[in-house]
Structures are given as structure tokens and as C-alpha cells.
């Protein structure tokens, strides 16, 4: 199992402070019967919540037997499975570079200190490209099961 995360504590603290300010302003605007100001506060609050959902993202790679499950964790609460595949179906694993011009599924975070890889996977009759940031332990397991994918 591999878990990818960043330190979101500073961002979360800033957003929480802004939310509190917006709530206080909303209460004040209701007290003074300023419906328009209250609606603006509600819209700003909703915008902050949506920004939080979009910006606080983590990934979990879980290997069970030969199946690798990739899950996206949104706002530390909602889990969404991106894909599950058998590591024996990996055709190739290459280092990711910005010149890669094929369509791919992104399942890695920026700036976490792990080099991104592109996995080409055979799924039925199609080939799927997935961008992952695999740690050495997971790479070693895949090498043992499917060494040909690294050539």
C-alpha cells in the first residue's frame, strides 16, 4: 500500500479562518436585514467549500494479490476508485516527461519528491495510460511479478 499526500494544514487553516469570517459577516448581515449582502456571503462560502474539495486531493495505491487499486481521496473524506487492474497486464512502465502526448489518467500529486511514471495497461481491447508516482517498494513488487514491463 502506498499513500500520497501533501501537507495541507496551512491551506486548511486559512480556509477555515475565511469560512468563520464569512459566517460572522452573514450573521451580521441578517441582523441588519441586508439580504443582498447575506446572499453574497453564502455564495462566497459555497465557493470556498468547492475550492477546498478541488484542492485537497490525495491518492492511495493498494496492491492486493496482483490487483492494484488506485483511489482518489477528496477533502480527506470522500474516496473514489479510479481504476483497478492486474499488474500482469502492464505492458510498459516509463518515466513521465512533459513531451508525453498521449491521453492518460492522472493519479499522482505534484511536488511530492517521487518521480512520476506512465504505466501502459492492456484492458480488454484497449490500452490505458496512467500517470502514477510509484515508490521503490511498489516498483520492486511489480518488477518481480512482471519484469518485462520495464523494457
Amino acid at each position: 500500500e502506498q499513500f500520497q499526500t501533501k501537507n495541507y494544514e496551512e491551506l486548511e487553516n486559512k480556509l477555515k479562518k475565511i469560512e468563520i469570517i464569512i459566517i460572522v459577516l452573514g450573521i451580521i448581515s441578517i441582523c441588519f436585514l441586508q439580504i443582498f449582502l447575506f446572499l453574497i456571503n453564502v455564495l462566497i462560502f459555497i465557493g470556498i467549500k468547492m475550492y477546498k474539495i478541488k484542492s485537497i486531493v490525495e491518492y492511495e495505491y493498494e496492491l492486493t494479490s496482483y490487483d492494484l487499486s488506485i483511489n482518489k481521496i477528496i477533502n480527506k473524506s470522500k474516496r473514489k476508485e479510479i481504476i483497478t487492474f492486474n499488474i500482469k497486464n502492464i505492458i510498459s512502465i516509463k518515466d513521465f516527461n512533459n513531451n508525453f502526448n498521449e491521453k492518460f489518467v492522472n493519479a499522482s500529486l505534484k511536488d511530492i519528491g517521487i518521480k512520476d511514471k506512465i504505466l501502459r495497461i492492456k484492458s480488454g481491447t484497449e490500452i490505458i495510460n496512467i500517470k502514477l508516482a510509484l515508490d521503490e517498494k511498489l516498483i520492486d513488487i511489480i518488477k518481480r511479478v512482471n519484469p518485462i514491463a520495464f523494457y
Side-chain angles (χ1 to χ4, degrees), residues 22 36-49:
I22 295 299
F36 181 71
L37 186 58
F38 175 73
L39 291 176
I40 290 174
N41 284 319
V42 169
L43 290 175
I44 292 171
F45 187 80
I46 291 170
I48 290 170
K49 287 292 188 187

Side-chain angles (χ1 to χ4, degrees), residues 7-146:
N7 186 358
Y8 291 110
E9 190 173 324
E10 184 178 334
L11 175 65
E12 288 177 311
N13 289 338
K14 285 180 183 178
L15 291 175
K16 187 166 265 339
K17 287 175 186 176
I18 294 170
E19 286 174 352
I20 290 169
I21 291 169
I22 295 299
I23 289 170
V24 169
L25 288 174
I27 291 170
I28 291 170
S29 61
I30 287 175
C31 290
F32 290 106
L33 299 174
Q34 298 292 323
I35 301 300
F36 181 71
L37 186 58
F38 175 73
L39 291 176
I40 290 174
N41 284 319
V42 169
L43 290 175
I44 292 171
F45 187 80
I46 291 170
I48 290 170
K49 287 292 188 187
M50 293 189 69
Y51 176 77
K52 208 172 175 182
I53 288 170
K54 293 283 184 187
S55 62
I56 299 177
V57 175
E58 300 165 315
Y59 290 98
E60 181 182 55
Y61 309 153
E62 188 173 1
L63 185 64
T64 308
S65 193
Y66 296 122
D67 292 330
L68 183 61
S69 296
I70 314 293
N71 295 296
K72 183 177 187 177
I73 302 165
I74 303 165
N75 200 18
K76 296 186 178 185
S77 59
K78 184 178 178 187
R79 177 182 297 267
K80 178 182 176 189
E81 184 176 294
I82 296 175
I83 190 170
T84 297
F85 58 90
N86 190 311
I87 59 175
K88 292 179 179 180
N89 293 335
I90 299 173
I91 298 169
S92 69
I93 297 176
K94 305 284 183 206
D95 288 340
F96 177 78
N97 63 46
N98 291 331
N99 297 330
F100 189 80
N101 57 5
E102 295 180 39
K103 186 178 174 183
F104 63 87
V105 176
N106 185 16
S108 71
L109 299 174
K110 294 179 185 175
D111 305 323
I112 61 166
I114 300 175
K115 192 166 185 177
D116 291 332
K117 305 275 187 200
I118 287 287
L119 279 68
R120 295 180 61 91
I121 301 155
K122 184 172 172 94
S123 177
T125 59
E126 65 180 351
I127 305 290
I128 300 171
N129 297 311
I130 303 175
K131 180 180 163 191
L132 301 175
L134 301 172
D135 64 7
E136 289 301 318
K137 184 178 176 185
L138 200 48
I139 288 173
D140 288 342
I141 292 170
I142 294 171
K143 276 183 182 176
R144 277 185 271 148
V145 173
N146 189 353

